[in-house]
Short mmCIF file of all heavy atoms in Angstrom, two decimals:
data_model
loop_
_atom_site.label_atom_id
_atom_site.label_comp_id
_atom_site.label_asym_id
_atom_site.label_seq_id
_atom_site.Cartn_x
_atom_site.Cartn_y
_atom_site.Cartn_z
N LEU A 1 4.40 9.11 -3.93
CA LEU A 1 4.75 9.45 -2.53
C LEU A 1 6.22 9.34 -2.34
O LEU A 1 6.92 8.58 -3.00
CB LEU A 1 4.07 8.44 -1.63
CG LEU A 1 2.52 8.46 -1.53
CD1 LEU A 1 2.02 7.27 -0.76
CD2 LEU A 1 2.06 9.81 -0.83
N ASN A 2 6.76 10.17 -1.38
CA ASN A 2 8.17 10.12 -1.09
C ASN A 2 8.36 9.93 0.40
O ASN A 2 7.51 10.28 1.23
CB ASN A 2 8.83 11.45 -1.51
CG ASN A 2 9.78 11.25 -2.64
OD1 ASN A 2 10.77 10.50 -2.57
ND2 ASN A 2 9.52 11.87 -3.77
N GLY A 3 9.57 9.40 0.76
CA GLY A 3 9.92 9.30 2.16
C GLY A 3 9.11 8.26 2.90
O GLY A 3 8.57 7.29 2.36
N ASP A 4 8.99 8.43 4.23
CA ASP A 4 8.39 7.39 5.05
C ASP A 4 6.85 7.36 4.97
O ASP A 4 6.23 6.49 5.56
CB ASP A 4 8.84 7.52 6.52
CG ASP A 4 8.67 8.91 7.10
OD1 ASP A 4 7.95 9.72 6.48
OD2 ASP A 4 9.22 9.17 8.19
N SER A 5 6.22 8.22 4.21
CA SER A 5 4.81 8.09 3.88
C SER A 5 4.48 6.76 3.19
O SER A 5 3.40 6.25 3.32
CB SER A 5 4.28 9.25 3.04
OG SER A 5 4.31 10.45 3.80
N ASN A 6 5.45 6.27 2.42
CA ASN A 6 5.21 5.03 1.74
C ASN A 6 5.02 3.85 2.70
O ASN A 6 4.31 2.91 2.37
CB ASN A 6 6.43 4.75 0.83
CG ASN A 6 6.32 5.44 -0.53
OD1 ASN A 6 5.30 5.29 -1.25
ND2 ASN A 6 7.35 6.23 -0.84
N VAL A 7 5.63 3.94 3.88
CA VAL A 7 5.43 2.87 4.85
C VAL A 7 3.97 2.76 5.22
O VAL A 7 3.37 1.70 5.15
CB VAL A 7 6.32 3.14 6.09
CG1 VAL A 7 6.07 2.06 7.15
CG2 VAL A 7 7.80 3.22 5.73
N ALA A 8 3.35 3.90 5.62
CA ALA A 8 1.99 3.92 6.02
C ALA A 8 1.04 3.56 4.89
O ALA A 8 0.06 2.83 5.06
CB ALA A 8 1.65 5.27 6.63
N PHE A 9 1.34 4.07 3.68
CA PHE A 9 0.47 3.82 2.51
C PHE A 9 0.38 2.33 2.21
O PHE A 9 -0.72 1.78 2.08
CB PHE A 9 0.95 4.59 1.31
CG PHE A 9 0.26 4.23 0.03
CD1 PHE A 9 -1.02 4.69 -0.17
CD2 PHE A 9 0.87 3.41 -0.92
CE1 PHE A 9 -1.71 4.40 -1.37
CE2 PHE A 9 0.17 3.09 -2.06
CZ PHE A 9 -1.08 3.56 -2.35
N PHE A 10 1.50 1.66 2.09
CA PHE A 10 1.46 0.24 1.69
C PHE A 10 0.96 -0.68 2.80
O PHE A 10 0.35 -1.67 2.49
CB PHE A 10 2.84 -0.20 1.23
CG PHE A 10 3.13 0.17 -0.21
CD1 PHE A 10 3.90 1.25 -0.52
CD2 PHE A 10 2.59 -0.54 -1.24
CE1 PHE A 10 4.12 1.64 -1.80
CE2 PHE A 10 2.78 -0.19 -2.57
CZ PHE A 10 3.58 0.92 -2.86
N ARG A 11 1.18 -0.30 4.06
CA ARG A 11 0.57 -1.06 5.13
C ARG A 11 -0.91 -0.98 5.06
O ARG A 11 -1.62 -1.98 5.24
CB ARG A 11 1.16 -0.63 6.46
CG ARG A 11 2.65 -1.05 6.69
CD ARG A 11 3.19 -0.54 7.99
NE ARG A 11 4.59 -1.00 8.17
CZ ARG A 11 5.34 -0.62 9.19
NH1 ARG A 11 4.89 0.24 10.09
NH2 ARG A 11 6.60 -1.09 9.27
N GLU A 12 -1.44 0.24 4.84
CA GLU A 12 -2.86 0.38 4.75
C GLU A 12 -3.42 -0.26 3.52
O GLU A 12 -4.50 -0.86 3.51
CB GLU A 12 -3.23 1.89 4.78
CG GLU A 12 -4.76 2.17 4.78
CD GLU A 12 -5.40 1.77 6.06
OE1 GLU A 12 -4.71 1.56 7.08
OE2 GLU A 12 -6.67 1.60 6.07
N TYR A 13 -2.67 -0.21 2.42
CA TYR A 13 -3.08 -0.87 1.16
C TYR A 13 -3.31 -2.33 1.37
O TYR A 13 -4.30 -2.89 0.91
CB TYR A 13 -1.98 -0.61 0.14
CG TYR A 13 -2.42 -0.69 -1.33
CD1 TYR A 13 -3.02 0.38 -1.97
CD2 TYR A 13 -2.20 -1.84 -2.10
CE1 TYR A 13 -3.44 0.33 -3.30
CE2 TYR A 13 -2.60 -1.89 -3.41
CZ TYR A 13 -3.21 -0.83 -4.02
OH TYR A 13 -3.61 -0.86 -5.31
N LYS A 14 -2.40 -2.98 2.05
CA LYS A 14 -2.53 -4.39 2.34
C LYS A 14 -3.63 -4.67 3.34
O LYS A 14 -4.42 -5.65 3.19
CB LYS A 14 -1.22 -5.00 2.86
CG LYS A 14 -1.29 -6.49 3.09
CD LYS A 14 0.01 -7.08 3.61
CE LYS A 14 -0.11 -8.57 3.80
NZ LYS A 14 1.12 -9.15 4.36
N ASN A 15 -3.76 -3.80 4.33
CA ASN A 15 -4.78 -3.98 5.38
C ASN A 15 -6.22 -4.05 4.84
O ASN A 15 -7.05 -4.77 5.36
CB ASN A 15 -4.70 -2.91 6.42
CG ASN A 15 -3.50 -3.05 7.37
OD1 ASN A 15 -2.94 -4.15 7.47
ND2 ASN A 15 -3.13 -1.97 8.05
N VAL A 16 -6.45 -3.28 3.78
CA VAL A 16 -7.81 -3.25 3.22
C VAL A 16 -8.02 -4.32 2.16
O VAL A 16 -9.08 -4.40 1.50
CB VAL A 16 -8.17 -1.88 2.63
CG1 VAL A 16 -8.10 -0.84 3.72
CG2 VAL A 16 -7.36 -1.51 1.43
N GLY A 17 -7.02 -5.16 1.94
CA GLY A 17 -7.16 -6.32 1.02
C GLY A 17 -6.76 -6.05 -0.40
O GLY A 17 -7.01 -6.88 -1.25
N LEU A 18 -6.14 -4.92 -0.68
CA LEU A 18 -5.70 -4.64 -2.07
C LEU A 18 -4.39 -5.39 -2.34
O LEU A 18 -3.50 -5.45 -1.46
CB LEU A 18 -5.52 -3.13 -2.26
CG LEU A 18 -6.82 -2.32 -2.27
CD1 LEU A 18 -6.50 -0.82 -2.28
CD2 LEU A 18 -7.68 -2.66 -3.47
N THR A 19 -4.27 -5.95 -3.51
CA THR A 19 -3.13 -6.77 -3.83
C THR A 19 -2.51 -6.32 -5.16
O THR A 19 -3.17 -5.67 -5.98
CB THR A 19 -3.52 -8.25 -3.99
OG1 THR A 19 -4.38 -8.40 -5.13
CG2 THR A 19 -4.25 -8.73 -2.72
N PRO A 20 -1.23 -6.68 -5.38
CA PRO A 20 -0.63 -6.37 -6.69
C PRO A 20 -1.31 -7.06 -7.85
O PRO A 20 -1.27 -6.56 -8.96
CB PRO A 20 0.84 -6.85 -6.53
CG PRO A 20 1.00 -7.26 -5.15
CD PRO A 20 -0.26 -7.32 -4.47
N GLN A 21 -1.93 -8.22 -7.56
CA GLN A 21 -2.62 -8.92 -8.64
C GLN A 21 -3.93 -8.23 -9.02
O GLN A 21 -4.23 -8.14 -10.22
CB GLN A 21 -2.91 -10.35 -8.19
CG GLN A 21 -1.67 -11.25 -7.99
CD GLN A 21 -0.89 -10.87 -6.66
OE1 GLN A 21 -1.51 -10.49 -5.68
NE2 GLN A 21 0.42 -11.04 -6.74
N ALA A 22 -4.66 -7.68 -8.07
CA ALA A 22 -5.88 -7.02 -8.29
C ALA A 22 -5.73 -5.60 -8.80
O ALA A 22 -6.41 -5.16 -9.72
CB ALA A 22 -6.79 -7.08 -7.06
N MET A 23 -4.83 -4.85 -8.16
CA MET A 23 -4.58 -3.48 -8.49
C MET A 23 -3.14 -3.14 -8.19
O MET A 23 -2.81 -2.66 -7.09
CB MET A 23 -5.53 -2.55 -7.65
CG MET A 23 -5.58 -1.09 -8.21
SD MET A 23 -6.56 0.01 -7.12
CE MET A 23 -8.15 -0.81 -7.11
N PRO A 24 -2.22 -3.38 -9.11
CA PRO A 24 -0.83 -3.13 -8.84
C PRO A 24 -0.53 -1.62 -8.66
O PRO A 24 -1.21 -0.79 -9.21
CB PRO A 24 -0.15 -3.65 -10.13
CG PRO A 24 -1.21 -3.59 -11.18
CD PRO A 24 -2.48 -3.84 -10.47
#
């Protein structure tokens, strides 16, 4: 992903409980 789409992606990633430890 490029640009400010990364903001929305990582916020949603955390919101659903995905972590760097479980799925980096």
